[in-house]
Amino acid sequence: MANRETLGLIKGARAGDVACQLALGRVYLFGQGVPQSLPTALHWLARAAQEDSEEACLLIGTHVPFEVAQPAAKALIPYYAQAFDAGLVQAGLVLAQLVLGNAASTSCETVRAKARVALDAAVRAGLPDAQWLLSMQEGWPAASRPDATPAGEPPLDGDAPLHAWLEQAWSQGNHAGFLSQGLPLARELLQRQAAAGARTIALDAQQVRLLSRCAQALAPGGDAEGWQCCELAAHGGDRAAQLELGLGYARMDAHGQRLATRNGAANFKRAVRWLTQAGEQGLAEAWFVLSRIYTKPEFSQRNVVEAHSCLERAADLGHGPAQLECGMHAWRNRRDGVNNDVRAAYWLLQAQAQGSREAEAALARIAPRGEAGDWGQCAAVQADGHLRQWSQSHPLLAARLALARCFHLSRAEALLLDLHAADQGHCLLIDISATHGRGKRRLVLIRTAQERQLLDQVVRLFERVDCGVTGPEGNYRQRLYRLKCYLAEIDVAQEQQFLAA
């Protein structure tokens, strides 16, 4: 309700007082004590501008957009022209929109010339709406102008300048500008779909993309028009719209959590349909949400096996939380499968690469970094010169010692490790329990390129060699004897160097 001061301004404005009209227009323009109303503000500012109020023209040119001014375009054009002459580029853009963008405009050539000058100034200032209007003036063929569009068909379909401008506006984050030019086209498509009834209309790629982006800008979760755009884009094959539609039916967000902002019961069957289509087009979030839906007890098609399959598909597409969950699931069930611990390490490494602290902590428990053994690694195995000499006479043992030094293997592990079975790509599977009673199965992660390079070299060396006890290396006693000989040679060489010094 207006206060006493505002009531006095209203009385004076109605009596024709220019100062009161200007002040009342400013009050409604900025909502000072009354609800903000641009049309009401424009009415009083235009009354003041009729009495040659320059300040009223400047306020109109600065704050009143094209959409509000369009119904009274003919009367307002002089005021926007005066504001543009005063240096307001935004007023020049609205002037150009009122004069050049209106096919029914009867403005004289002088006004049209000034509008073209104003449009050029707005383009140089980088205003997106000006760039679109300029492309309409220069690049559109006559058959594709708005006034030449056949009735019942969406205007400007396939028009390169408009769609190029829409792409630019969207890429720059100008969603308001995108909606101002793109939403009318989307509404035309929605009207065509409503007229078609149950039959889905055919859409090209540009129309599908337009509908999908309009849906994103309108927030389809809470806007009826946005939801309709989302549905039509999903039928057209847009994966983002399919994901959003599936989340809407499931009443969930992309993290699989229930959304309190979306009221009503979930329709999981419809959600599964759209999320599956989005997932098959490569959206990992769709598979992740599906994994959550299939575990819900209220879902009539609840299936834990299918849920895990969806979770793995999300992990394969690079979804970090899905990779973490797959890794932890494989580790918890490591006794149910031969290589479940190896799979756990693989998924956790993938999740860790995406910054997961939980995956990093889990890897520290699953595959802890061992320390150098007390069997001579610190002295003998570190002796690079002696190791290079032995690599010529005993290449297999030298390769095993190099692995022991790099991956901190125990003496038994270094001598008995089956290199063919150990390399799992992302880790070494250390398991000598079949040939050594005290051996325990464990994993050693391959974290650096140098470790990967060394392992590749050793694996190539053992490609045609039997790593078993019947192979050329012999049994454990024979391998241990060679190692002791090697260590003895190093001790003798070090003693001679000490005596010579």
Side-chain angles (χ1 to χ4, degrees), residues 266-286:
N267 190 329
F268 289 124
K269 289 187 177 179
R270 288 190 177 181
V272 166
R273 172 196 172 190
W274 291 113
L275 291 172
T276 301
Q277 291 187 38
E280 288 174 349
Q281 293 196 66
L283 281 184
E285 295 86 352

Side-chain angles (χ1 to χ4, degrees), residues 151-154 186-202 228 232:
E153 293 294 327
R187 285 170 176 163
E188 290 285 345
L189 294 173
L190 293 179
Q191 291 174 4
R192 286 175 53 191
Q193 178 58 53
R199 180 181 60 85
T200 304
I201 62 173
Q228 292 172 357
L232 194 53

Side-chain angles (χ1 to χ4, degrees), residues 40-58:
T40 306
L42 177 59
H43 170 76
W44 291 115
L45 291 175
R47 291 276 298 271
Q50 286 177 359
E51 303 298 329
D52 299 326
S53 171
E54 184 178 356
E55 186 177 355
C57 292
L58 294 177

Side-chain angles (χ1 to χ4, degrees), residues 181-218:
Q181 303 300 333
L183 189 55
L185 305 184
R187 285 170 176 163
E188 290 285 345
L189 294 173
L190 293 179
Q191 291 174 4
R192 286 175 53 191
Q193 178 58 53
R199 180 181 60 85
T200 304
I201 62 173
L203 301 171
D204 59 30
Q206 284 183 335
Q207 293 169 332
V208 171
R209 185 165 57 249
L210 171 70
L211 288 164
S212 177
R213 289 175 175 175
C214 285
Q216 293 177 53
L218 290 171

Side-chain angles (χ1 to χ4, degrees), residues 372-447:
D374 58 354
W375 55 280
Q377 273 185 282
C378 295
V381 180
Q382 299 289 349
D384 289 328
H386 296 284
L387 193 57
R388 281 195 294 271
Q389 295 177 6
W390 261 65
S391 64
Q392 299 177 0
S393 57
H394 297 82
L396 300 181
L397 179 59
R400 289 183 178 276
L401 293 180
L403 282 183
R405 178 175 61 180
C406 181
F407 295 104
H408 296 171
L409 306 181
S410 68
R411 182 174 65 182
E413 289 172 344
L415 295 177
L416 293 175
L417 185 64
D418 184 351
L419 275 302
H420 302 305
D423 184 11
Q424 300 294 321
H426 59 284
C427 68
L428 269 179
L429 173 58
I430 311 298
D431 188 3
I432 60 172
S433 56
T435 54
H436 194 271
R438 296 181 181 178
K440 293 183 178 180
R441 181 187 176 102
R442 68 186 184 95
L443 301 178
V444 178
L445 300 178
I446 302 172
R447 295 186 178 273

Side-chain angles (χ1 to χ4, degrees), residues 142-172:
S144 62
R145 297 290 178 88
D147 55 321
T149 303
E153 293 294 327
L156 309 179
D157 278 359
D159 188 79
L162 175 60
H163 283 288
W165 181 87
L166 290 173
E167 286 290 331
Q168 180 184 7
W170 185 264
S171 62
Q172 293 175 350

Side-chain angles (χ1 to χ4, degrees), residues 67-104:
E67 293 78 8
V68 178
Q70 189 177 17
K74 187 174 181 180
L76 297 176
I77 285 174
Y79 310 143
Y80 282 101
Q82 185 175 346
F84 172 67
D85 291 337
L88 294 179
V89 179
Q90 180 63 37
L93 172 59
V94 179
L95 172 65
Q97 290 173 318
L98 293 174
V99 176
L100 303 177
N102 186 1

